[in-house]
């Protein structure tokens, strides 16, 4: 079946555009074994052993399958300390899509963020974004600067069907650029907007943000982790963009920016890696000075030569239309099935994950009794599915130690790339339906032990009642 036949709608079934070459066994535990495992883990999904999970939807970061050609590229990895051929292959592949003058390899996305804000951040400054991912926000704040989220109103409304819910509120951005003139070192746009449900940003919005930045004389950076999924949404949803080559759309997105940060653990299809890129020579010089302190020499940064090769190959696969059509359709397949079954989900379905609205599904569990945690534990106990609470557990603790409900209580089902088949997804749908049917019987949780920061990773919980 060709991509063209799919586009004409001749056949409905989404098939994985690959076949399996090497398999990993999954352990089929019993419900009693899972109940024991989650109790031992203090009802925290992060504390489970991965071996005790059947379908792992905790994250799409670094958990995907590499291709035959990526494994072959790994064999080509040249581990020369300086000027390795693998570095040149990496640099060529990155600049083919993102033609920035300087490319600085890091071990993952947050290392690029730390270096970037280590150079441009300082107390008294403010960095606007559609929505900062939590490591980006943490790195902005660690520099002493303030991180501000300015996503359009539709991006905060789970039920809005706006096609580009990741867009920046350009009016609010222009007002901030005027009121804080001289205090904005750069504007950041996250594509797709992970914290806002994996929702895309349109080219039209990027052009308007670019114009606002130009008027204020402020550079624009992309947090481009899910650039290929964003470009596919542009091709599918933005007037005048259908039929365009995704790689071309990516180059246009990059041409509107002055630089970028990247986690190669997402769309570049790798298990590790990232980079910082920019056009500004002075910024690049200072960034490389920080790079050699904690990451490595500029032609490998935080990576081995073999990782650079895997990224170079992964980038060419990330913009394949057959791959992206399957990727976006298969995520939508899960989300639409849950929606049809009456499970409340964030709409439209995003690129890399489906977000279940636990507050709506468990209205009898108040936010401070963590409905998202309750749902995530139930999905694990019932079917061995590991998901991630994105709600009051993750965001509800204030710096003074008191608590308040987060804006939403969501559970994210993130889809690792090229890893699970349609029958895995059909199974996930069945488990979600069963848990949703019995949602009335699920109770809340209390936290019995928590660290002062980022408590969701290590907190221990106990069921109430
Ligand atoms: N930016 C975005 C939008 C991200 O989603 C992530 C990671 C990062 C930056 C940081 O990259 O992990 O390589 O240091 N997101 C993962 C997730 C962890 O599960 O959504 P990193």
């Amino acid at each position: 079946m060709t991509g063209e036949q799919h586009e004409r709608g001749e056949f409905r079934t989404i098939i994985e555009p690959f076949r399996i070459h090497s398999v990993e066994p999954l352990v089929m535990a019993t419900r009693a074994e899972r109940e024991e495992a989650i109790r031992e883990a203090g009802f925290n999904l992060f504390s489970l052993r991965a071996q005790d999970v059947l379908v792992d939807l905790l994250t799409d970061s670094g958990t995907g399958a590499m291709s035959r050609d990526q494994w072959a590229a790994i064999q080509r990895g040249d581990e020369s300390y300086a000027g390795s051929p693998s570095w040149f292959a990496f640099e060529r592949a990155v600049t083919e899509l993102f033609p920035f003058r300087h490319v600085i390899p890091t071990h993952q996305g947050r290392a690029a963020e730390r270096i970037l804000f280590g150079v441009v951040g300082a107390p008294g400054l403010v960095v606007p974004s559609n929505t900062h991912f939590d490591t980006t926000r943490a790195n902005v704040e660690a520099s002493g600067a303030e991180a501000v989220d300015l996503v359009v109103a539709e991006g905060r409304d789970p039920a809005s069907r706006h096609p580009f819910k990741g867009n920046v509120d350009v009016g609010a951005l222009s007002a901030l650029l005027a009121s804080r003139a001289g205090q904005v070192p750069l504007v950041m746009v996250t594509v797709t907007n992970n914290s806002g449900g994996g929702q895309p940003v349109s080219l039209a919005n990027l052009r308007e943000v670019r114009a606002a930045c130009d008027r204020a004389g402020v550079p624009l950076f992309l947090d481009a982790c899910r650039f290929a999924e964003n470009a596919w949404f542009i091709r599918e949803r933005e007037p005048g963009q259908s039929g365009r080559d995704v790689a071309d759309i990516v180059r246009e997105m990059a041409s509107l920016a002055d630089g970028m940060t990247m986690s190669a653990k997402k769309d570049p299809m790798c298990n590790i890696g990232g980079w910082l890129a920019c056009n500004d020579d002075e910024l690049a010089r200072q960034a490389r000075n920080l790079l050699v302190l904690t990451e490595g020499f500029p032609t490998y940064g935080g990576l081995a030569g073999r990782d650079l090769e895997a990224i170079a190959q992964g980038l060419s696969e990330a913009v394949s239309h057959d791959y992206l059509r399957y990727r976006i359709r298969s995520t939508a397949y899960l989300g639409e099935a849950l929606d049809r079954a009456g499970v409340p989900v964030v709409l439209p379905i995003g690129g890399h994950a489906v977000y279940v609205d636990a507050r709506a599904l468990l209205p009898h569990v108040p936010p401070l009794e963590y409905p998202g945690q309750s749902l995530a534990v139930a999905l694990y106990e019932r079917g061995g599915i590991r998901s991630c609470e994105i709600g009051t557990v993750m965001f509800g603790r204030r710096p003074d130690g008191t608590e308040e409900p987060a804006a939403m209580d969501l559970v994210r089902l993130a889809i690792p790339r090229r890893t699970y088949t349609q029958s895995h997804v059909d199974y996930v749908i069945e488990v979600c339906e069963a848990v949703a049917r019995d949602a009335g019987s699920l109770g809340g949780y209390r936290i019995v032990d928590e660290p002062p920061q980022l408590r969701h990773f290590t907190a221990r919980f106990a069921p109430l009642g």
Side-chain angles (χ1 to χ4, degrees):
M1 185 182 338
T2 67
E4 242 170 276
Q5 281 173 307
H6 249 306
E7 288 202 329
R8 287 202 310 270
E10 189 172 350
F11 300 115
R12 245 189 6 264
T13 308
I14 333 153
I15 65 160
E16 292 81 9
F18 48 80
R19 56 184 184 180
I20 294 162
H21 168 258
S22 160
V23 299
E24 287 180 274
L26 293 176
V27 178
M28 310 294 276
T30 64
R31 181 161 175 174
E33 286 165 342
R34 289 195 293 264
E35 285 173 355
E36 174 60 21
I38 193 74
R39 197 169 33 247
E40 271 178 27
F43 297 95
N44 187 330
L45 288 297
F46 284 100
S47 302
L48 287 171
R49 286 173 302 202
Q51 279 278 312
D52 293 333
V53 174
L54 187 57
V55 181
D56 203 344
L57 308 183
L58 184 66
T59 178
D60 66 321
S61 181
T63 52
M66 290 209 296
S67 65
R68 170 197 64 191
D69 295 343
Q70 283 180 291
W71 286 110
I74 280 199
Q75 287 294 328
R76 270 200 312 272
D78 178 302
E79 305 303 342
S80 302
Y81 192 92
S84 149
S86 300
W87 151 253
F88 292 106
F90 167 84
E91 190 190 34
R92 228 179 1 260
V94 171
T95 53
E96 165 81 20
L97 289 171
F98 306 97
F100 295 114
R101 204 154 50 233
H102 304 281
V103 181
I104 297 169
T106 59
H107 79 274
Q108 63 184 77
R110 66 197 72 183
E113 294 162 3
R114 188 187 54 76
I115 289 171
L116 176 62
F117 294 108
V119 176
V120 305
L125 302 185
V126 56
V127 181
S129 176
N130 43 354
T131 312
H132 289 281
F133 180 66
D134 49 15
T135 59
T136 324
R137 169 173 287 275
N139 277 297
V140 169
E141 291 173 351
S143 78
E146 188 189 339
V148 176
D149 294 337
L150 300 175
V151 75
V152 289
E154 291 88 343
R156 287 187 297 266
D157 173 5
S160 159
R161 304 279 183 127
H162 190 285
F164 291 103
K165 287 170 79 171
N167 280 355
V168 178
D169 180 339
V170 181
L173 174 66
S174 302
L176 182 120
L177 288 169
S179 67
R180 303 286 299 265
Q183 295 168 10
V184 183
L186 56 83
V187 171
M188 195 96 190
V189 178
T190 313
V191 295
T192 58
N193 193 22
N194 182 11
S195 310
Q199 302 290 331
V201 178
S202 69
L203 270 179
N205 188 252
L206 280 177
R207 288 192 202 105
E208 286 177 39
V209 171
R210 170 83 253 172
C213 286
D214 283 345
R215 283 192 297 275
V218 169
L220 170 60
F221 273 61
L222 299 177
D223 174 344
C225 301
R226 298 178 180 87
F227 70 96
E229 294 173 5
N230 197 91
W232 184 260
F233 279 123
I234 287 174
R235 185 178 189 270
E236 290 220 306
R237 296 183 183 170
E238 190 158 351
Q241 301 300 322
S242 68
R244 256 185 102 179
D245 183 5
V246 162
D248 250 7
I249 297 176
V250 173
R251 279 187 285 271
E252 183 171 350
M253 287 161 57
S255 75
L256 293 165
D258 300 288
M260 68 186 295
T261 56
M262 175 66 97
S263 166
K265 301 172 76 170
K266 281 82 169 180
D267 276 354
M269 312 265 212
C270 288
N271 304 125
I272 197 70
W275 67 86
L276 167 65
C278 64
N279 286 330
D280 184 315
D281 297 338
E282 179 53 24
L283 170 59
R285 192 185 63 78
Q286 292 184 43
R288 287 198 178 101
N289 288 342
L290 288 180
L291 186 82
V292 292
L293 278 183
T294 55
E295 291 281 302
F297 185 76
T299 64
Y300 70 84
L303 295 167
R306 54 180 171 270
D307 301 323
L308 296 168
E309 292 277 0
I311 294 172
Q313 175 61 30
L315 280 173
S316 71
E317 297 173 13
V319 292
S320 146
H321 288 197
D322 284 350
Y323 162 70
L324 285 168
R325 184 177 296 109
Y326 140 80
R327 170 74 176 158
I328 299 301
R329 272 302 303 142
S330 58
T331 305
Y333 174 81
L334 169 59
E336 286 164 8
L338 296 183
D339 186 36
R340 271 198 306 278
V343 179
V345 290
V346 175
L347 295 168
I349 305 304
H352 69 293
V354 174
Y355 295 70
V356 181
D357 186 346
R359 197 177 287 175
L361 187 62
L362 277 61
H364 56 286
V365 178
L368 293 180
E369 293 179 9
Y370 315 127
Q373 193 65 23
S374 174
L375 176 60
V377 170
L379 290 172
Y380 175 70
E381 288 180 341
R382 192 78 180 257
I385 298 165
R386 176 152 68 171
S387 57
C388 183
E389 193 266 9
I390 300 195
T392 303
V393 173
M394 193 178 272
F395 299 121
R397 190 181 200 271
R398 285 189 287 227
D400 66 4
T402 59
E403 273 202 296
E404 62 185 348
M408 296 186 273
D409 279 294
L410 304 177
V411 169
R412 182 180 78 169
L413 304 169
I415 319 292
R417 292 168 183 76
R418 307 187 294 203
T419 302
Y420 293 112
T421 64
Q422 185 164 346
S423 57
H424 289 112
V425 175
D426 285 334
Y427 170 80
V428 171
I429 293 165
E430 252 190 275
V431 173
C432 289
E433 284 173 352
V435 169
R437 265 197 306 276
D438 299 343
S441 68
L442 299 180
Y445 282 79
R446 67 190 171 88
I447 291 180
V448 293
D449 184 30
E450 63 177 325
Q453 275 119 27
L454 297 172
R455 67 177 181 178
H456 55 285
F457 289 126
T458 54
R460 293 183 73 83
F461 300 82
L464 289 166

